[in-house]
Amino acid sequence: MHRGVFITFEGIDGSGKSTHLRLLASELRLRGYNLVTTREPGGTPLGARLRDLLLRGEEQVDPLAELLLYAADRAQHVRTLVRPALETGHIVLSDRYADATVAYQGAGRGFPSDLIADIVRIGTDGLMPDLTLVFDVSVAVAHARMRKRNGIEKEEDRFEREEVEFHTRVRDAYRQLAAQEPTRVRLIDASGSIEETHARVIEIVLPFLEENAAGEKAARSV
Ligand SMILES: Nc1ncnc2c1ncn2[C@@H]1O[C@H](COP(=O)(O)OP(=O)(O)O)[C@@H](O)[C@H]1O
Ligand SMILES: [Mg+2]
């Protein structure tokens, strides 16, 4: 059993994961928690190279190769970064983790759920999050936020029907995970303002840490 607390951030692209991880991290640091923030893919030096290959490569990545590369990234991440941080009493916040494989490679790409379950078990080395926040927003809103983030104005929109359907399957899979595991996986309505969503995050995370990480604040002399 680890001493720290492992919290993961999930949701479709543009749902607000990275924004809310940053906001929560500052809030928790102010409150004196020992924190490590990380992401998948790319939380380790090896992972950063895999991330580059997966997200920026010239070559079309075969879906099975993609599934296994994400698993390799996760194995390195868990064994060299996440578990050691938890064992030394840190709170670990990760931008994506195992549920992303279920949503993207399972529901999105269509790999069978027993294969996905095996790969997740192997890649995570059995380590599941203590708490998972799923940022839930429509595909249209998420897409509009990403266009804005990337500074795309009006020109041709390559977000075609196939992609809308893909991201809709991913979103639905996340919602299903929250329904199946309501204690670990908390669905957060992320359609409102950043402030509104941040307030929802705080409402869930602070009581959770009060219960599960009471001894994990940095020792502070006042
Ligand atoms: N509630 C919100 N309302 C409006 N814009 C938002 C909201 N949440 C995030 N954004 C913006 O949307 C974009 C995508 O958010 P981001 O946190 O990068 O999403 P993700 O990491 O899930 O892809 C960013 O430019 C961010 O500032
Ligand atoms: Mg992000």
Side-chain angles (χ1 to χ4, degrees):
M1 259 314 274
H2 54 259
R3 297 170 45 225
V5 178
F6 186 23
I7 304 177
T8 59
F9 290 61
E10 299 281 1
I12 58 177
D13 283 328
S15 60
K17 298 179 295 298
S18 306
T19 303
H20 291 289
L21 191 152
R22 263 195 313 276
L23 291 173
L24 179 64
S26 347
E27 182 95 21
L28 295 183
R29 287 202 173 96
L30 282 175
R31 290 168 186 262
Y33 284 106
N34 286 317
L35 216 64
V36 171
T37 64
T38 185
R39 68 175 178 179
E40 285 196 1
T44 63
L46 173 68
R49 296 170 73 182
L50 291 172
R51 183 185 179 95
D52 210 47
L53 292 172
L54 281 162
L55 304 181
R56 256 175 286 281
E58 303 277 284
E59 189 180 356
Q60 179 81 31
V61 181
D62 171 82
L64 178 62
E66 175 191 83
L67 174 67
L68 296 172
L69 285 169
Y70 277 114
D73 169 72
R74 183 161 306 136
Q76 183 77 5
H77 190 213
V78 167
R79 295 162 75 100
T80 69
L81 191 152
V82 179
R83 216 194 288 274
L86 292 172
E87 280 168 1
T88 49
H90 291 80
I91 292 166
V92 178
L93 306 182
S94 184
D95 195 333
R96 294 195 184 286
Y97 188 65
D99 298 306
T101 297
V102 176
Y104 280 83
Q105 278 71 45
R109 302 267 187 245
F111 282 106
S113 53
D114 53 347
L115 172 63
I116 293 292
D118 285 344
I119 294 282
V120 164
R121 201 168 334 101
I122 294 166
T124 58
D125 202 14
L127 177 73
M128 286 306 280
D130 299 302
L131 177 67
T132 296
L133 308 176
V134 170
F135 293 85
D136 186 54
V137 77
S138 72
V139 172
V141 167
H143 179 54
R145 286 180 189 169
M146 287 201 326
R147 283 169 62 88
K148 210 169 157 205
R149 176 180 72 189
N150 299 336
I152 299 167
E153 292 297 324
K154 269 249 160 64
E155 95 265 8
E156 116 230 62
D157 186 359
R158 305 204 311 109
F159 199 72
E160 284 155 12
R161 190 191 192 113
E162 203 177 279
E163 287 185 70
V164 173
E165 284 171 4
F166 176 86
H167 291 290
T168 302
R169 288 199 299 280
V170 173
R171 179 195 184 194
D172 290 346
Y174 277 128
R175 294 172 62 98
Q176 204 180 324
L177 279 166
Q180 282 166 353
E181 287 186 71
T183 309
R184 174 178 69 88
V185 184
R186 306 291 303 271
L187 198 71
I188 295 178
D189 177 354
S191 62
S193 69
I194 290 178
E195 293 71 21
E196 282 164 348
T197 306
H198 178 60
R200 294 199 168 98
V201 171
I202 288 296
E203 221 169 84
I204 292 171
V205 174
L206 290 187
F208 186 86
L209 290 181
E210 285 299 319
E211 251 180 63
N212 296 280
E216 306 306 343
K217 282 198 184 186
R220 287 179 142 196
S221 48
V222 181

